[in-house]
Amino acid sequence: MVLRAEEISSIIRKEIEGFDQPMRSVNVGTVVEIGDGVAQVYGLGNVMASELVRFTRTGVIGLAFNLAEETVGVITLGPYAAIEEGDEVEATGTISSVPVGDAMVGRVVNTLGEPLDGKGPIETTQRRPLEVIAPGVVYRKGVDTPVQTGIKAIDSMIPVGRGQRELIIGDRQTGKTAVAVDTIINQKGTGVICIYVAIGQKTSQVVQVQGILEQYGAMEHTIIVAATASDPAPLQYLAPYAGCAIGEYFMHQGKDALIVYDDLSKHAAAYRQVSLIIRRPPGREAYPGDVFYLHSRLLERAARLDDAYGGGSLTALPIIETQANDISAYIPTNVISITDGQIFLEPDLFNAGIRPAINVGFSVSRVGGAAQTKAMKQVAGRLKLDLAQFRELAAFAQFGSDLDKATQNQINRGLRITEVLKQPQYQPLSVAQQVTILYAVSNGYLDAVPVDKVRAYEVGFHQYMASAQKPLLDSITTEKKISDANLEALKQAVLQFNQTMTF
Amino acid sequence: MAAGGAVARRYAQAAFDIASEQNALDQWKRDLDLAAAVFANPQVARDFDDPKVSEANKRNVVTQNLQGKVGPQALNMVYLLVQRNRTILIGKVAEEFTAFYNRARNIAVADVTTAIPLGDEEMRKVVATLSRITGKQIQVRTHVNPAIIGGLVARVGDELIDASIATRLHELALRLA
């Protein structure tokens, strides 16, 4: 873009002419210590907790974090290298907040809600405070509508409902972000607004996620809040609250929103840094004493509102990265106990080619079952049991000894179910697609298919269903259950397709 | 500025409580200011901080310097500070006492900074305006600082009233940046 000189000068001229600030009266303090993004400020007598303050000389915004008798601990929300001892700090009189509104959708913003994507300013009229108390009992309603992730293993056995908090936990490189991104992609056309909060991640990775979302047309209903690894720790600490405030706006509008916190381990680490610099006493793993509350108050803000209050929802998918599969570390146990279930991803499964690498045995959803569609319940009921029995028997099967027919059948079924639950990335399936293939495998119609051909079978099956059995798929989608007539039609369709397949 | 302030405030509070009971605020303020002036001498401060000097010695020095000049209870307070190795705080105690004193007498100290020295008439106007804003009697400490270019900066406690040209230019610069 070419800078037009006269345009710039005119703006400056307007600024100068309109600049009228004859006198300002502010509450001030003086920086006595500054280091690692945290300033100790003497004075600021009437400052409020979590009030925004401004370093007068540099214009950097800070947040009054620690109100002590003598000094105020201020965390800086911007470049702090230029701040010096003796600098003046002034209170702004406003509590930390973030701009919210429909204009945010499709944008990449930082913790303060400022655009990072170079697509111009964001026109919003409203702001919401970063820290609010979660909706109380009377405002809430039970979870009864599903969030379809489009991933067979999750939607069938670990269903997530709108307003639920479902943890995605696993080691590095096990596909945690992939599950979240697939879920966001699958929300296309459902009216669910998605917010992806990147905390302490590599900037390149954030750009990559944005690229994928754009490629699959999912950026149109998504907001990315990014506080990357190079941002000051205070910004990383506040990013989830900013994302949550943006999501709450949609929830209170009566809409459905989904928020992904990627990831809360780094969030806890950023908070630990801020807390230690401010000299709060360290506890277990050097985290401060209120690290549980840090996450519980954040995740509690996910809710399904009662119809009297608009009936909106905010579903949270927090992500936790474990070290060497240790879910008994401090932060993982904390977040597991806060959330309504977890999706547990394992590197062993990932390396064995089972992707998404979900450990179905350890993963649970404590409330999602109530939200699962009837059709899915009809086919998924036996799935979990079959898989559990398969895992038990598979241990014996490794010895290669003679097995009776029933055991062999069970193992064969298990192998095929495992194969069907594999799913390529960025290819979420509709409910009807999931229901039909899961029906086929759990009723034994794939038992004759060689295990290494199951994938090809599934691809062909979906193609066949979409072309030859479209009315059946539509009927399942609209009825949300498999009626007796449809059950018969589905059975015939599967049998018909099996005849066309040759192995 | 920050360190020790909380401790000094406790001593000042205690002294202030005694002083108000005895209705001797002015006497105490004078005594503490005098004691603070004695200990403001760096050599004195260093000697009193030295653990090799015995406490009896330190007490003697205090007695010689202050007895008769300050009230008996103020002297006791200095002894107490000597005993507890807190003589370094005497200046601060006096400062904090003054703060209590000012609050009780509804006095506020204003630091007024101007680019050029103010005339008497102007100063009266400034004082009148500040006492109207704060609702208190104003004691003015004047400072002259040409760096503010023009206008006036007044600071009463943590409240800053800034009508200087330098600040306005700085605000403008930040906005245009």
Side-chain angles (χ1 to χ4, degrees):
Chain A
M1 196 176 73
V2 183
L3 283 177
R4 296 222 303 270
E6 81 282 9
E7 189 177 272
I8 302 299
S9 318
S10 70
I11 291 171
I12 295 171
R13 187 178 160 177
K14 222 180 286 168
E15 283 277 358
I16 294 173
E17 279 171 352
F19 192 79
D20 184 32
Q21 202 188 33
M23 188 178 92
R24 60 193 189 110
S25 173
V26 284
N27 199 260
V28 291
T30 317
V31 174
V32 290
E33 185 189 319
I34 171 91
D36 295 319
V38 176
Q40 295 292 339
V41 177
Y42 182 83
L44 282 178
N46 294 322
V47 77
M48 297 176 280
S50 96
E51 180 177 341
L52 290 179
V53 299
R54 201 166 71 110
F55 293 85
T56 312
R57 195 172 53 81
T58 55
V60 171
I61 297 291
L63 177 75
F65 189 59
N66 217 32
L67 306 186
E69 186 178 355
E70 287 282 296
T71 57
V72 177
V74 172
I75 53 181
T76 54
L77 305 179
Y80 52 81
I83 298 169
E84 289 170 6
E85 187 208 349
D87 274 5
E88 194 179 88
V89 185
E90 58 184 59
T92 61
T94 52
I95 295 293
S96 55
S97 62
V98 64
V100 295
D102 295 321
M104 304 283 285
V105 178
R107 304 299 300 267
V108 182
V109 298
N110 67 7
T111 303
L112 303 173
E114 295 159 354
L116 297 175
D117 50 8
K119 292 180 184 166
I122 302 175
E123 303 291 336
T124 53
T125 51
Q126 277 190 58
R127 296 185 74 88
R128 283 187 70 87
L130 288 187
E131 298 271 8
V132 293
I133 299 294
V137 178
V138 289
Y139 297 96
R140 292 184 187 241
K141 190 174 114 170
V143 169
D144 60 2
T145 318
V147 173
Q148 299 296 348
T149 63
I151 298 168
K152 281 170 284 186
I154 297 176
D155 284 348
S156 60
M157 286 178 290
I158 323 151
V160 182
R162 292 187 181 175
Q164 190 180 342
R165 295 90 40 96
E166 181 79 9
L167 171 66
I168 302 172
I169 186 168
D171 273 18
R172 83 217 130 71
Q173 292 299 311
T174 50
K176 301 183 296 297
T177 306
V179 168
V181 168
D182 274 3
T183 307
I184 292 177
I185 292 172
N186 198 44
Q187 302 315 308
K188 195 176 172 183
T190 60
V192 176
I193 308 284
C194 301
I195 299 139
Y196 178 82
V197 186
I199 310 149
Q201 289 191 39
K202 295 185 268 295
T203 313
S204 61
Q205 218 161 357
V206 178
V207 172
Q208 202 182 345
V209 167
Q210 187 200 0
I212 290 163
L213 291 178
E214 262 165 11
Q215 190 186 332
Y216 290 91
M219 241 353 248
E220 286 147 36
H221 62 265
T222 304
I223 303 161
I224 296 181
V225 180
T228 56
S230 63
D231 283 324
L235 283 179
Q236 295 183 32
Y237 149 58
L238 290 171
Y241 299 99
C244 193
I246 294 168
E248 279 170 328
Y249 165 79
F250 295 106
M251 173 171 77
H252 289 295
Q253 296 266 307
K255 294 180 189 161
D256 293 305
L258 171 89
I259 186 161
V260 177
Y261 302 112
D262 195 359
D263 67 75
L264 289 187
S265 323
K266 295 196 186 75
H267 178 233
Y271 184 61
R272 170 169 65 185
Q273 179 184 334
V274 172
S275 286
L276 290 177
I277 294 168
I278 222 147
R279 299 209 185 93
R280 290 186 180 170
R284 183 176 160 191
E285 290 176 26
Y287 289 105
D290 62 341
V291 75
F292 184 88
Y293 182 57
L294 172 82
H295 289 148
S296 66
R297 72 173 189 265
L298 172 70
L299 293 170
E300 200 58 19
R301 284 161 69 179
R304 174 72 204 273
L305 292 184
D306 193 82
D307 294 333
Y309 299 94
S313 73
L314 180 64
T315 311
L317 294 180
I319 293 179
I320 288 281
E321 184 179 300
T322 52
Q323 306 290 331
N325 251 349
D326 181 15
I327 54 168
S328 58
Y330 192 26
I331 302 302
T333 44
N334 276 356
V335 182
I336 285 173
S337 75
I338 295 164
T339 50
D340 307 311
Q342 68 272 354
I343 295 168
F344 192 52
L345 303 167
E346 277 192 341
D348 290 350
L349 294 174
F350 188 86
N351 295 332
I354 300 173
R355 298 175 199 182
I358 298 169
N359 182 327
V360 182
F362 286 0
S363 302
V364 290
S365 173
R366 287 178 205 142
V367 296
Q372 205 171 22
T373 51
K374 183 101 192 309
M376 191 59 93
K377 264 192 202 146
Q378 281 173 292
V379 295
R382 272 180 56 198
L383 214 55
K384 217 167 182 177
L385 192 67
D386 276 347
L387 269 177
Q389 286 176 339
F390 160 67
R391 270 195 307 276
E392 199 121 303
L393 293 173
F396 286 106
Q398 282 178 347
F399 295 115
S401 52
D402 286 342
L403 298 167
D404 64 88
K405 191 84 181 116
T407 311
Q408 251 168 10
N409 284 345
Q410 194 91 55
I411 289 173
N412 282 339
R413 180 71 55 82
L415 285 173
R416 280 159 185 80
I417 293 176
T418 310
E419 203 61 29
V420 163
L421 290 179
K422 288 182 187 175
Q423 193 169 337
Q425 226 175 333
Y426 316 132
Q427 289 179 24
L429 296 175
S430 72
V431 179
Q433 282 175 313
Q434 293 184 37
V435 166
T436 49
I437 186 70
L438 289 174
Y439 168 84
V441 69
S442 62
N443 285 289
Y445 296 112
L446 266 74
D447 287 357
V449 182
V451 172
D452 58 344
K453 293 282 197 301
V454 168
R455 178 83 213 126
Y457 176 96
E458 192 187 341
V459 171
F461 179 74
H462 287 316
Q463 274 169 5
Y464 162 76
M465 290 299 284
S467 56
Q469 302 286 345
K470 186 123 196 342
L472 178 59
L473 281 181
D474 292 343
S475 169
I476 293 174
T477 307
T478 49
E479 284 179 23
K480 292 199 164 89
K481 63 174 184 141
I482 313 176
S483 60
D484 290 342
N486 276 344
L487 195 65
E488 188 55 35
L490 181 55
K491 188 178 168 186
Q492 293 308 325
V494 175
L495 287 173
Q496 208 178 341
F497 175 69
N498 277 0
Q499 280 173 359
T500 67
M501 287 293 279
T502 48
F503 304 110
Chain B
M1 210 178 194
V7 181
R9 196 169 309 141
R10 265 66 171 186
Y11 283 98
Q13 172 83 59
F16 182 77
D17 288 348
I18 298 173
S20 352
E21 261 170 43
Q22 299 172 342
N23 219 353
L25 282 179
D26 295 292
Q27 173 67 35
W28 266 90
K29 182 165 155 42
R30 254 197 314 280
D31 290 355
L32 283 175
D33 285 344
L34 181 66
V38 171
F39 281 91
N41 180 334
Q43 185 59 48
V44 174
R46 208 172 312 134
D47 287 347
F48 271 81
D49 223 22
D50 189 343
K52 282 183 286 189
V53 181
S54 73
E55 197 189 310
N57 257 338
K58 292 178 185 170
R59 277 182 75 107
N60 277 335
V61 174
V62 172
T63 316
Q64 280 165 24
N65 275 294
L66 291 177
Q67 196 158 44
K69 294 181 193 165
V70 301
Q73 278 179 322
L75 191 61
N76 278 346
M77 170 136 174
V78 179
Y79 284 147
L80 186 69
L81 288 168
V82 168
Q83 191 192 341
R84 297 198 175 163
N85 268 325
R86 292 285 202 187
T87 47
I88 197 98
L89 288 180
I90 286 185
K92 276 219 194 299
V93 173
E95 229 173 74
E96 293 289 343
F97 187 89
T98 309
F100 281 118
Y101 177 88
N102 285 344
R103 211 168 305 152
R105 293 275 152 97
N106 199 26
I107 295 172
V109 179
D111 286 288
V112 176
T113 310
T114 46
I116 48 164
L118 287 182
D120 283 352
E121 178 57 29
E122 290 164 323
M123 191 51 85
R124 248 194 309 281
K125 266 191 192 161
V126 169
V127 170
T129 313
L130 285 177
S131 42
R132 188 167 45 77
I133 293 172
T134 57
K136 287 178 175 166
Q137 282 183 58
I138 296 291
Q139 267 179 18
V140 180
R141 282 198 295 239
T142 54
H143 310 269
V144 174
N145 181 4
I148 71 165
I149 303 173
L152 162 152
V153 179
R155 183 167 176 167
V156 186
D158 281 345
E159 206 63 33
L160 181 85
I161 297 164
D162 192 339
S164 70
I165 302 293
T167 305
R168 291 176 65 186
L169 287 175
H170 181 69
E171 292 281 324
L172 187 60
L174 277 183
R175 194 174 305 186
L176 294 178

